[in-house]
């Protein structure tokens, strides 16, 4: 350490900082350093703040630490100051992400409220270790559910994995803010549920085969209590998501080419609004003559109520006053149809509304349609998602492949 003239025996000034000696009752002489650092390196206009660290046994130790801090300042790195607790920081992190979809933010808030703050909210960020997170994940797997009627029951591996991904994003920001140097959620010792564990724990998908689906649709079509046959037909024949179907406008339908353009989805948080589809991308799918003719018949019926309901920008499945239908109300209507159905066809199992999407994909896969085509129809981001969701169809595809191979060789 170079020799420097000082104005006081208790302080060693530095051009870019200072080292000071102080006395404590219990430990005796100790040393600390102080220097000025930017409040936020990304926003120099915010000015400077004093940064200090104490408790060094010698002036040389304090000087070494200060030299490291000076390098950090030169590299425009952040100085965290007081380390916040996870709960408070998670809330600030949420507030800084207004561009996320409202439904995404709603899910994040729910996870933070139920699965982060009660257990880890008072833990300082720099005290959060991978082992502490692993222990937390095991607690959630044993008794983490908070929903009414199931409090204290095991939380699914899929939800625990979502909590881990969320914590990983929050702690990434904490690293960038200079509060911590590494992200404990991304260390191996955090031990969140693996992809295979998540997949194995998923509930079995219930679908209908082609004959069952045809029976159900024909029954709905002929039942005078149901005026939404076209809606259920679209679900079954396209595999579209609930929010996508309800946001379709008449100008999204091209009757000449037999195509439907999927440009938007109902916002489930603000249900009178629409947003981009789940994957954020626009897609076009082909439909058959039955779908086209059914929708054309629906258009004629809607025009008899009001021409406003069949304008190009009107919603195809709107209420009679032209508003978007509530996704939850449509789910309830379908559940009621299933109750009616089982009174007539008790042999047919219940398939929920999302099950119609699964039925569409399963039938196509069993008929040998390329998974890539199915991925495009369903709007999955990757084909891996498609194959993971419909892994139950793989045995059928394998059998079909073997038969086709044998048939080809036999005819050679």
């Amino acid at each position: 350490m170079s020799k420097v003239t000082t104005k006081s025996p208790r302080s060693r000034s530095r051009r870019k900082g200072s080292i000071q000696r102080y006395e404590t009752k219990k430990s005796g002489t100790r040393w600390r350093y102080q220097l000025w650092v930017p409040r936020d390196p990304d926003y120099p206009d915010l000015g400077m703040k004093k940064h200090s660290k104490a408790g060094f046994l010698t002036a040389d130790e304090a000087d070494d630490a200060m030299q490291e801090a000076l390098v950090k300042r030169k590299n425009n790195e952040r100085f965290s100051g007081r380390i916040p607790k996870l709960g408070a920081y998670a809330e600030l992190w949420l507030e800084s992400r207004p561009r996320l979809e409202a439904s995404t933010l709603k899910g994040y808030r729910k996870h933070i409220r139920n699965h982060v703050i009660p257990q880890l909210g008072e833990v300082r960020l720099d005290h959060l270790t991978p082992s502490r997170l692993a222990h937390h994940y095991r607690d959630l797997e044993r008794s983490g559910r908070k929903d009414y009627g199931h409090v204290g029951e095991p939380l699914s591996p899929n939800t625990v994995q979502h909590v881990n991904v969320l914590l990983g994003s929050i702690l990434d920001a904490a690293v960038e803010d200079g509060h911590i140097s590494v992200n404990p959620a991304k260390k191996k010792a955090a031990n969140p549920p693996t992809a295979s564990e998540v997949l194995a724990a998923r509930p079995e998908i219930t679908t209908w085969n082609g004959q069952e689906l045809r029976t159900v649709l024909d029954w709905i079509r002929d039942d005078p209590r149901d005026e939404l046959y076209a809606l259920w037909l679209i679900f079954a024949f396209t595999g579209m998501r609930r929010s996508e179907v309800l946001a379709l406008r008449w100008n999204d339908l091209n009757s000449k080419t037999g195509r439907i353009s999927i440009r938007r989805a109902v916002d489930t948080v603000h249900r009178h609004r629409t947003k981009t589809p789940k994957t954020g991308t626009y897609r076009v799918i082909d439909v058959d003559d039955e779908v086209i003719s059914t929708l054309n018949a629906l258009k004629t019926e809607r025009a008899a109520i009001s021409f406003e309901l069949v304008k190009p920008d009107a919603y195809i499945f709107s209420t009679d006053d032209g508003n978007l239908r509530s996704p939850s109300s449509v789910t309830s209507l379908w559940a009621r149809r299933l109750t009616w159905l089982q009174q007539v066809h008790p042999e047919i199992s219940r398939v929920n509304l999302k099950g119609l999407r699964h039925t569409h994909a399963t039938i196509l896969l069993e008929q040998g349609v390329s998974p890539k085509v199915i991925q495009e129809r369903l709007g999955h981001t990757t084909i891996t998602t498609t194959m993971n969701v419909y892994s139950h169809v793989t045995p059928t595809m394998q059998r079909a492949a073997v038969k086709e191979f044998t048939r080809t060789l036999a005819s050679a």
Side-chain angles (χ1 to χ4, degrees), residues 59-77:
D60 284 343
E61 287 183 4
D63 184 71
D64 289 343
M66 188 175 72
Q67 298 309 314
E68 292 180 4
L70 288 169
V71 171
K72 185 176 180 180
R73 185 178 72 178
K74 182 179 179 180
N75 292 336
N76 223 30
E77 297 179 29

Side-chain angles (χ1 to χ4, degrees), residues 380-394:
H380 287 158
T381 306
T382 67
I383 197 167
T384 302
T385 301
T386 308
M387 296 314 297
N388 283 342
V389 172
Y390 300 106
S391 58
H392 66 286
V393 189
T394 302

Side-chain angles (χ1 to χ4, degrees), residues 98-114:
R99 292 189 183 90
L100 290 176
E101 292 286 353
S103 57
T104 300
L105 282 173
K106 182 180 179 181
Y108 285 168
R109 288 193 181 95
K110 181 179 179 181
H111 283 324
I112 290 172
R113 181 178 65 250
N114 292 336

Side-chain angles (χ1 to χ4, degrees), residues 5 8 152-153 204 216-218 250 281 287 290-291 293 311 320 331 350-351 360 368 372 392 407:
T5 302
S8 165
E153 294 181 9
E204 184 177 350
V216 171
L217 290 175
D218 288 349
W250 287 111
T281 57
V287 292
E290 182 176 357
V291 170
S293 61
K311 286 184 174 181
D320 286 349
T331 298
R350 289 181 71 94
V351 168
H360 179 77
K372 182 64 179 175
H392 66 286
R407 186 191 65 77

Side-chain angles (χ1 to χ4, degrees), residues 311-329:
K311 286 184 174 181
D313 61 348
Y315 295 111
I316 295 177
F317 298 108
S318 70
T319 58
D320 286 349
D321 56 7
N323 291 325
L324 285 165
R325 286 185 182 271
S326 162
S328 59
S329 70

Side-chain angles (χ1 to χ4, degrees), residues 120-131:
L120 302 174
E122 292 301 308
V123 179
R124 251 175 46 174
L125 291 174
D126 58 338
H127 292 171
L128 199 60
T129 64
S131 297

